[in-house]
Amino acid sequence: MERKDHMDAIGAAALIAFALHLAFNQVVIKVTAGGFGPVFQAGLRSVGAVLVLYLWMRLRGVSFSVPRAARAGGIVSGLFFALEFMCLFTALDTTTVSRASVIFYSMPVWLTLIAHVFFPGERLTPAKIAGLLLAMAGVAIALADRGGGSVSWAGDLLALTGALCWAGIVVCVRITPLSEVPPAQQLMFQVLVSAPILLLLAPFLGPLLRDVQPIHIAGLLFQIVAIASLGFLAWFWLMTIYPASSVASFSFLSPVFSVILGWLLLSEDVAPSVWAALVLVASGIYLINRKPRALA
C-alpha cells in the first residue's frame, strides 16, 4: 500500500483491532502461566518466534545480513527485550491483568520524558506535560492501591520495569544504526538474543512446567504466531503506511481493553481506584501522542 499522510477508516479499524489483539494477549499470558513458568514461557515464545520469522523472511526474500555497525544496537535491544518480557510475564503471574496492564502501558510516559532529554526535536509541549501529569497520577494511584488479595508490590514494580525496558528498546533503535535495519531484522535480533537468556534464567526462577494442558499449549502457540512474530510485523507494517503519531495515538486503547478483558474473561475484581488509574493513564497517553492542530 502507498504511504498515507492521514489516518483513514481502514487504518483506524486495523489499529483498534490490533490494540484489542494486544490486550487479549495479556489474558493469554496469564492463562498460559498455568502450564508453564512465566520466564520459561517467555523463552519458549522467543524460540518459536525465531522459527516463524526465519520462515517468513525466507519466503519473502528478506536478507539476514545486518550491517556490522547495527549489530551492537541489535544486541542491546535484545537484552532490553529479554528483561522486558521476563518482567511482564512474571508480573502477570503475580498480579491481575488489569493492574499489570495499566502500569505496563504507561511506556509512552517514560519514552516522552527520555525523548525530551535526548531528542531535540521532541521537546515537551503543554499538551504533553498535561498528558504526563495525568498518566503519572494514574500510575501513582495504581501503585498506591494495596487492597485486594491479588495485589503484589513485586508484580507492580516488575510491570513498571517492563515498561521502562520497552521504552529502552525504542530509544536504542532511534540512537543507533539499528534504525536503518528493516523491521523484520530488528525483531529477529530481539527474539534471537532474548531466547537463550530467558531459557537459561528460567530454571533459577521457579518450576519450568506446571500443570500443562492443551489450553496452555494453544496459548503459547498463539503468542508465538499471532504476537511475537507476525503480530509485531503487522505493527511495523502499519507504521510504514500511516503517520507514526497517528499510529501511536491508538496505544491508549490497549490498557483500556486489557482491563475490560481481565474483568470479563478472568472475572478479575477491578477496584474503583484501578478504573480511575486507567482513565488517567489512557487520557495521558492520548494527549502525549495527539498531533498538534495547525493554526488557521
Side-chain angles (χ1 to χ4, degrees):
M1 293 180 65
E2 63 179 12
R3 179 80 181 177
K4 300 180 183 294
D5 60 3
H6 66 282
M7 182 61 61
D8 56 21
I10 294 176
L15 286 164
I16 292 171
F18 188 75
L20 181 59
H21 191 63
L22 290 180
F24 179 67
N25 184 55
Q26 306 293 301
V27 175
V28 172
I29 292 171
K30 189 167 186 68
V31 171
T32 306
F36 301 94
V39 179
F40 186 51
Q41 179 189 168
L44 291 176
R45 189 183 78 154
S46 286
V47 170
V50 169
L51 298 176
V52 173
L53 276 174
Y54 174 79
L55 293 174
W56 186 89
M57 292 172 72
R58 285 291 300 270
L59 291 173
R60 301 279 297 183
V62 179
S63 173
F64 290 91
S65 177
V66 177
R68 185 180 298 273
R71 294 174 187 173
I75 292 172
V76 173
S77 72
L79 294 174
F80 272 127
F81 190 90
L83 182 57
E84 174 190 349
F85 287 103
M86 180 176 71
C87 290
L88 176 61
F89 278 53
T90 306
L92 288 167
D93 191 48
T94 56
T95 190
T96 62
V97 167
S98 56
R99 290 184 65 86
S101 296
V102 167
I103 298 171
F104 179 70
Y105 282 109
S106 67
M107 183 278 281
V109 175
W110 320 118
L111 181 59
T112 299
L113 289 172
I114 294 171
H116 175 73
V117 176
F118 293 102
F119 305 138
E122 298 188 24
R123 298 299 185 187
L124 290 174
T125 63
K128 286 186 177 181
I129 292 173
L132 285 171
L133 293 175
L134 285 175
M136 293 177 74
V139 172
I141 289 173
L143 291 173
D145 177 20
R146 312 317 301 167
S150 297
V151 174
S152 163
W153 268 116
D156 291 350
L157 294 177
L158 285 168
L160 183 58
T161 303
L164 292 170
C165 290
W166 186 3
I169 292 174
V170 177
V171 173
C172 179
V173 172
R174 289 281 301 276
I175 67 176
T176 71
L178 190 63
S179 61
E180 302 174 7
V181 172
Q185 293 179 344
Q186 293 181 25
L187 184 55
M188 178 61 88
F189 253 120
Q190 292 167 13
V191 294
L192 192 60
V193 172
S194 65
I197 294 174
L198 293 168
L199 292 179
L200 286 172
L201 289 176
F204 302 99
L205 299 172
L208 300 182
L209 300 177
R210 295 172 175 177
D211 182 21
V212 181
Q213 300 294 328
I215 190 175
H216 304 132
I217 298 173
L220 183 60
L221 293 175
F222 172 83
Q223 293 177 59
I224 290 171
V225 177
I227 299 294
S229 48
L230 302 185
F232 288 156
L233 287 175
W235 171 261
F236 285 127
W237 177 71
L238 289 168
M239 290 284 284
T240 65
I241 297 174
Y242 298 100
S245 59
S246 297
V247 174
S249 67
F250 281 81
S251 62
F252 80 95
L253 289 174
S254 289
V256 174
F257 287 148
S258 293
V259 171
I260 293 173
L261 289 178
W263 175 53
L264 288 176
L265 301 180
L266 300 177
S267 299
E268 291 185 350
D269 184 14
V270 184
S273 60
V274 175
W275 288 112
L278 171 64
V279 171
L280 290 171
V281 170
S283 300
I285 292 173
Y286 175 76
L287 287 175
I288 288 169
N289 290 308
R290 189 182 64 174
K291 185 178 181 180
R293 294 183 178 180
L295 296 176

